[in-house]
Amino acid sequence: MRDIFDMDNIMISNVLDEDAEFIPLLSPDDEEQINAEETPDELPILPLRNTVLFPGVVIPITVGRDKSIKLIQEAYKGDKTLGVVSQKNDEIEDPTEDDLNSVGTIAFILKMLKMPDGNITVIIQGKKRFKVKEITQKEPYLRAKIEAFNQIQKPSGKGFDALVSSIKDLASQIIEQSPTIPTEATFAIKNIESPTFLINFIASNMKADVTTKQDLLETPELNERANLLLEHLTKELQLLELKNDIQSKVRTDLDQQQREYFLNQQIKQIQEELGGDPQQQEIEDFKKKAKKKKWNKTVAERFDKELEKFQRLNPQAAEYSVQLNYLETLIELPWNDYTKDNFDLKRAQKILDKDHFGLEKVKERIIEYLAVLKLKGDMKSPILCLYGPPGVGKTSLGKSIAEALDRKYVRMSLGGVRDEAEIRGHRKTYIGAMPGRIIQNIKKVNSSNPVYVLDEVDKLGSSHQGDPSSALLEVLDPEQNSNFYDNFLELDYDLSKVLFIATANSLSTIQPALRDRMEIIEITGYTVEEKIEIANKHLIPKLLKNHGLKKKHMNLTKQIIEKITTDYTRESGVRGLEKKIAKIVRNRAKYIAMEEEFDAKISMEELLKILGPGHSRDKYQGNEVAGVVTGLAWTSVGGDILFIESSLSKGKGKLTLTGNLGDVMKESAVIALAYLKAHSHLLGLKPEIFEKWDIHVHVPEGATPKDGPSAGITMLTALASAFTQRKVKSKLAMTGEITLRGRVLPVGGIKEKILAAKRAEITTIILSEDNRKDIEEIGDKYLKGLTFHYVETMMEVVDLALTNQKVKEALKIA
């Protein structure tokens, strides 16, 4: 049989039955009385397993071994006194002298209870410590001679009092934080007056192994015993706090999960009352829509796989919204859904003519595309790039094309776009991921063959987030865009049926690889006559409607429109003209709103009053001064004229260039001067004069940057005029690049330059022979009143441009 004892944190009041005499806590008087008792010479020894008895402490023990039962019965009949010693190894059933500790406690039996299983439970109280001298009896139970093991004199003072107080506080904290110790134990500790009994009481009931408790029992010096107890209590408190902290966190997590679970259950119940689970409804909607889609097998399998994944997701999960967004994008995209094209070519021509005046090349190209599509029935759409100055109708042309084809219309502005993801989309792993704007707009119009206008393709930027123009290479390649890959979709999408129309103001900023994929269609500026027609047919009716006026409220004659065009706008397009007419319309609206009288017909005087004075026109400035020649230039807003001014002053042949000129333009001046020096004999000049005169070449409007090779022949003519002092022919302008060998090379922007010449009342224009083809492509109405001379060499330019008449007060150049 085994002694079974588990007294951790059990109070004696829980053990005694109602008939038992309650043993109060040990008082100082009781402690003095126990200390005064004499230690007997010999005692029966009761081995204890799993516990240690301390002086003054009351504990219950249950005995089951035959020797122990016999010892208890005889002791209870006698003086109820025995010696209690803990075993070194609690697994030994019949311990001998070597198996027992040498120090134990004299115990007094307070109560004995017989249990139904034959075991005996006794309530004992420790009295004094003793030390075993020798075993005198082994049967039927152990007896031994003993001697007193008294503690060293009880310490006192503030230090010891503080130590005892700390022990009390730690014990109280352990009781408060431990869920298994009754709170009454706190009152018991607070009511103990004796420091010795307090230490014994706490040592007996603390959570520690037998070895630790035995060490405390065998420590004779009370102060040392108190320090050992304090150290152990500190460790126990720390472990208890850590344990409670872990349990608290686990409990919090479980409580939160349980709370969410119950809330979700309630939500489900409410949803069922209202008509079902929203997630389930969405899944059913997805399945219904998927049956109607015309997608291929690859897309269908991908959709089914992603839908299964969506079904397994918790609505509270972060991935839920991403997956929902992905499925919505897949289901809403118009896979293989196309609008039917209208092949009525005459109707298409009427729509294009109605919406835009001029632009014959573009209209002809669209009609050609429709004709091929009508005959073949299916073709890869070309990539058109409408290139020209602002305000000539590039963007609005896309709407007219969509209307002519009966297709959906999409416009995407690329100005300032610097992120590659704008084109290709984000990967789903990113927060807030979405498809690129190409796919988004296709989804928005719900058609896989819209007219898609990529506006301002020349203004695409690049940054650390990628190069969007490079991403467009796949989009704008008819051989690749049938398998356009969007990072968000992670599937190929067919863009080959989309009619992409790009617009640009300048080709120089478009990436060469991108430019190569597009069919460039140049849209040039309008003549004054065309602008008058556009104003009458499009601008004025639109502005009257937008401002709430009727046709009878305002009458603009052709002379007035021409005056606005020539004196108030300087552009190739009609945006500035529209703004000026809008100002006149607002003026009329004011009169109508204020119910004042007005004349519907706008006069020149009223025009001046409304718009203020106009700017001076780019007019030819005469040929009375040597060295001043009119050149033709191209700008981003159309053509313009410029004047090359050259003058000579006594010096050593220094060349000075001013007017905010670029490197290419400066090089043209250096080439022109070098050619003149090398061929001075052709002009009747002596070579020495170039070393006696400083040359200054200036291009007016110094605040405006100027560059390009097209002013080469103008520079040459200006220098030749300055050195020969011969007049330049009246109302003459020119444009062309020069070489050091004397060749004249072709330049661009011919139509814009011709329009600028007409505005400036120029009548004669000198061009390179290679530019003859450009003139032949321009309509006769643009060329009316102009005479063209085509040259191949620089001396031809000089012969055509300079007269034999010298200017008045000519410099005497020797």
Side-chain angles (χ1 to χ4, degrees):
M1 296 297 292
R2 297 179 57 190
D3 287 328
I4 301 170
F5 175 71
D6 187 8
M7 181 52 191
D8 287 343
N9 305 315
I10 297 178
M11 296 296 293
I12 186 60
S13 55
N14 298 116
V15 182
L16 292 175
D17 59 14
E18 292 181 1
D19 297 330
E21 180 183 1
F22 179 73
I23 305 300
L25 295 173
L26 198 69
S27 66
D29 294 339
D30 296 333
E31 184 181 0
E32 287 183 7
Q33 184 179 350
I34 289 174
N35 291 334
E37 292 178 1
E38 292 185 1
T39 302
D41 295 331
E42 189 176 346
L43 277 176
I45 301 300
L46 176 67
L48 288 185
R49 291 191 290 194
N50 301 323
T51 191
V52 175
L53 178 66
F54 285 83
V57 179
V58 177
I59 61 170
I61 58 172
T62 298
V63 292
R65 290 182 284 198
D66 293 338
K67 287 185 177 182
S68 298
I69 292 172
K70 189 170 184 66
L71 186 154
I72 292 296
Q73 288 175 339
E74 290 186 4
Y76 192 71
K77 291 177 182 177
D79 59 2
K80 301 182 179 180
T81 301
L82 68 158
V84 176
V85 181
S86 62
Q87 293 181 196
K88 294 177 182 178
N89 186 349
D90 58 2
E91 293 182 358
I92 296 175
E93 189 67 26
D94 188 12
T96 62
E97 180 180 3
D98 296 333
D99 299 321
L100 298 177
N101 288 302
S102 59
V103 178
T105 305
I106 299 171
F108 180 76
I109 300 174
L110 299 175
K111 185 73 174 180
M112 184 179 74
L113 301 170
K114 290 184 179 179
M115 309 306 291
D117 58 358
N119 293 336
I120 294 176
T121 297
V122 290
I123 310 299
I124 59 175
Q125 182 179 26
K127 293 290 187 177
K128 297 176 69 174
R129 291 180 296 170
F130 68 86
K131 188 172 183 180
V132 177
K133 291 172 67 178
E134 62 175 315
I135 299 297
T136 58
Q137 175 183 311
K138 294 184 179 180
E139 296 295 340
Y141 48 80
L142 294 174
R143 286 185 69 88
K145 289 184 178 180
I146 64 172
E147 63 181 0
F149 187 83
N150 295 325
Q151 70 179 28
I152 300 173
Q153 188 175 3
K154 184 170 73 173
S156 60
K158 293 182 179 179
F160 181 72
D161 293 341
L163 186 61
V164 173
S165 178
S166 298
I167 292 172
K168 272 190 178 184
D169 291 340
L170 280 175
S172 299
Q173 290 180 45
I174 291 171
I175 293 168
E176 288 174 6
Q177 294 195 32
S178 177
T180 58
I181 304 177
T183 54
E184 292 84 354
T186 305
F187 298 107
I189 289 173
K190 287 182 178 179
N191 290 326
I192 296 175
E193 297 178 2
S194 168
T196 305
F197 178 57
L198 175 70
I199 292 169
N200 290 342
F201 181 80
I202 294 173
S204 176
N205 289 285
M206 72 180 182
K207 189 175 183 180
D209 54 28
V210 174
T211 303
T212 302
K213 291 184 178 182
Q214 185 66 31
D215 289 343
L216 287 170
L217 182 70
E218 294 179 3
T219 303
E221 209 276 313
L222 186 60
N223 192 63
E224 184 182 352
R225 196 189 317 163
N227 279 308
L228 289 174
L229 178 62
L230 183 66
E231 181 182 342
H232 183 82
L233 290 179
T234 303
K235 290 180 182 177
E236 185 175 346
L237 180 62
Q238 288 174 350
L239 289 172
L240 189 60
E241 286 175 345
L242 182 61
K243 177 182 175 183
N244 289 340
D245 187 43
I246 294 170
Q247 288 179 344
S248 175
K249 286 180 180 177
V250 172
R251 189 182 301 112
T252 303
D253 291 342
L254 289 173
D255 289 347
Q256 182 66 20
Q257 290 176 9
Q258 289 174 347
R259 182 172 177 273
E260 290 175 358
Y261 173 77
F262 286 124
L263 287 174
N264 285 327
Q265 291 299 315
Q266 290 174 351
I267 289 171
K268 282 183 180 179
Q269 291 295 328
I270 294 169
Q271 288 168 349
E272 287 177 5
E273 291 291 330
L274 295 174
D277 182 6
Q279 185 182 9
Q280 196 59 40
Q281 288 179 354
E282 284 173 347
I283 293 168
E284 294 301 323
D285 288 342
F286 282 139
K287 289 181 178 178
K288 287 180 183 177
K289 291 177 181 177
K291 291 179 182 178
K292 301 176 183 178
K293 300 303 289 185
K294 300 176 184 177
W295 47 30
N296 56 40
K297 185 179 178 182
T298 304
V299 181
E301 289 176 355
R302 179 62 178 271
F303 178 81
D304 292 339
K305 181 180 177 181
E306 295 295 331
L307 187 61
E308 287 178 11
K309 182 180 177 181
F310 178 71
Q311 287 177 292
R312 296 192 297 268
L313 285 175
N314 188 326
Q316 309 299 323
E319 195 181 353
Y320 181 86
S321 59
V322 177
Q323 192 69 9
L324 177 61
N325 186 25
Y326 180 73
L327 289 171
E328 286 177 345
T329 302
L330 277 184
I331 207 76
E332 290 174 10
L333 272 173
W335 301 91
N336 299 320
D337 286 338
Y338 305 103
T339 55
K340 189 175 180 180
D341 289 327
N342 190 328
F343 295 120
D344 188 345
L345 303 188
K346 292 182 179 179
R347 169 182 170 274
Q349 185 71 57
K350 285 181 181 178
I351 290 173
L352 294 173
D353 290 339
K354 173 176 69 72
D355 292 344
H356 291 81
F357 189 85
L359 308 181
E360 279 76 15
K361 286 177 69 176
V362 188
K363 295 175 184 176
E364 184 182 354
R365 182 65 185 83
I366 298 302
I367 297 300
E368 287 174 358
Y369 167 72
L370 277 177
V372 175
L373 193 60
K374 182 178 181 179
L375 295 174
K376 188 174 183 292
D378 182 29
M379 68 175 287
K380 289 184 177 180
S381 294
I383 313 297
L384 305 179
C385 179
L386 306 180
Y387 150 66
V392 294
K394 299 186 299 297
T395 304
S396 60
L397 193 63
K399 269 190 178 179
S400 300
I401 294 171
E403 185 183 351
L405 292 170
D406 271 353
R407 287 192 180 188
K408 299 289 183 68
Y409 170 74
V410 181
R411 175 182 168 273
M412 176 180 170
S413 178
L414 296 175
V417 172
R418 297 186 300 168
D419 189 354
E420 180 192 340
E422 292 280 335
I423 308 299
R424 280 213 184 109
H426 307 84
R427 301 191 185 280
K428 286 195 295 179
T429 51
Y430 294 111
I431 295 172
M434 59 175 63
R437 287 170 64 184
I438 299 288
I439 294 297
Q440 285 184 47
N441 286 326
I442 294 288
K443 183 178 76 172
K444 184 170 68 176
V445 296
N446 197 30
S447 170
S448 288
N449 64 335
V451 173
Y452 204 123
V453 175
L454 298 169
D455 214 3
E456 310 290 0
V457 73
D458 58 323
K459 296 176 179 63
L460 276 171
S462 62
S463 68
H464 65 281
Q465 294 168 314
D467 183 6
S469 61
S470 299
L472 273 180
L473 294 177
E474 183 184 6
V475 177
L476 299 183
D477 190 343
E479 299 301 322
Q480 295 183 40
N481 63 10
S482 58
N483 296 312
F484 173 67
Y485 184 85
D486 186 274
N487 289 328
F488 182 80
L489 279 186
E490 298 177 344
L491 291 166
D492 291 335
Y493 194 88
D494 185 6
L495 297 177
S496 62
K497 305 296 189 297
V498 178
L499 178 54
F500 286 104
I501 299 176
T503 71
N505 298 132
S506 172
L507 297 179
S508 60
T509 55
I510 301 177
Q511 189 182 134
L514 184 60
R515 189 168 66 231
D516 184 59
R517 282 165 166 76
M518 300 186 290
E519 182 179 340
I520 308 296
I521 299 176
E522 186 176 0
I523 301 180
T524 52
Y526 298 112
T527 63
V528 174
E529 292 76 18
E530 286 177 327
K531 289 183 179 180
I532 293 171
E533 291 296 322
I534 292 170
N536 280 323
K537 290 183 178 180
H538 301 283
L539 302 182
I540 294 174
K542 183 180 81 170
L543 291 169
L544 288 174
K545 182 181 178 182
N546 291 346
H547 290 79
L549 272 66
K550 296 181 180 177
K551 193 174 182 181
K552 64 180 182 179
H553 292 138
M554 192 182 76
N555 180 16
L556 287 177
T557 63
K558 286 190 177 182
Q559 291 77 13
I560 294 294
I561 298 173
E562 184 178 358
K563 179 74 173 174
I564 297 170
T565 302
T566 56
D567 286 9
Y568 292 94
T569 63
R570 296 176 65 184
E571 59 178 352
S572 295
V574 291
R575 274 206 192 111
L577 178 60
E578 183 178 4
K579 291 175 185 176
K580 297 300 179 184
I581 296 174
K583 190 171 183 180
I584 299 171
V585 174
R586 290 194 298 273
N587 180 270
R588 282 290 171 266
K590 182 187 72 172
Y591 279 111
I592 296 170
M594 297 178 71
E595 299 180 357
E596 296 180 359
E597 292 185 5
F598 63 93
D599 188 357
K601 187 176 180 180
I602 304 295
S603 64
M604 288 291 182
E605 293 77 14
E606 193 169 10
L607 181 68
L608 182 63
K609 184 180 177 183
I610 296 171
L611 299 182
H615 55 72
S616 61
R617 296 173 63 182
D618 298 328
K619 289 187 177 181
Y620 175 72
Q621 296 182 357
N623 62 343
E624 299 303 317
V625 180
V628 179
V629 185
T630 305
L632 298 176
W634 180 92
T635 69
S636 61
V637 293
D640 201 356
I641 67 169
L642 53 81
F643 302 100
I644 306 294
E645 301 175 350
S646 60
S647 66
L648 303 177
S649 58
K650 287 287 185 178
K652 296 182 180 181
K654 179 183 177 184
L655 175 63
T656 304
L657 303 172
T658 57
N660 202 351
L661 308 183
D663 291 338
V664 177
M665 207 164 182
K666 289 177 181 178
E667 289 170 0
S668 297
V670 174
I671 293 169
L673 181 59
Y675 181 81
L676 283 180
K677 287 180 180 180
H679 301 84
S680 59
H681 61 283
L682 298 176
L683 295 173
L685 298 174
K686 294 180 180 180
E688 308 83 73
I689 66 170
F690 295 103
E691 299 175 0
K692 297 178 181 179
W693 296 87
D694 286 341
I695 306 108
H696 188 158
V697 178
H698 176 69
V699 183
E701 297 186 23
T704 306
K706 309 166 194 73
D707 201 5
S710 62
I713 62 173
T714 317
M715 295 269 193
L716 172 73
T717 307
L719 291 173
S721 174
F723 277 107
T724 61
Q725 292 293 292
R726 289 160 60 184
K727 284 187 176 182
V728 180
K729 283 183 180 177
S730 178
K731 295 189 177 181
L732 172 74
M734 60 189 70
T735 181
E737 183 179 354
I738 58 175
T739 70
L740 203 55
R741 294 181 298 139
R743 294 275 301 165
V744 178
L745 303 181
V747 291
I750 296 299
K751 185 178 179 183
E752 279 79 11
K753 291 176 179 179
I754 289 172
L755 293 176
K758 289 193 73 173
R759 288 197 298 267
E761 300 179 356
I762 299 292
T763 58
T764 306
I765 297 175
I766 298 176
L767 296 169
S768 169
E769 178 64 39
D770 292 333
N771 281 125
R772 186 187 291 270
K773 64 181 185 303
D774 298 312
I775 299 299
E776 291 173 353
E777 292 178 0
I778 299 173
D780 293 337
K781 58 186 175 182
Y782 295 95
L783 309 178
K784 188 177 179 181
L786 295 174
T787 301
F788 294 94
H789 296 285
Y790 303 102
V791 296
E792 292 183 345
T793 65
M794 289 158 70
M795 288 313 300
E796 290 181 67
V797 177
V798 175
D799 292 340
L800 286 168
L802 298 184
T803 66
N804 292 323
Q805 182 184 2
K806 293 202 174 187
V807 299
K808 294 178 181 180
E809 300 178 0
L811 291 171
K812 292 181 180 180
I813 301 174

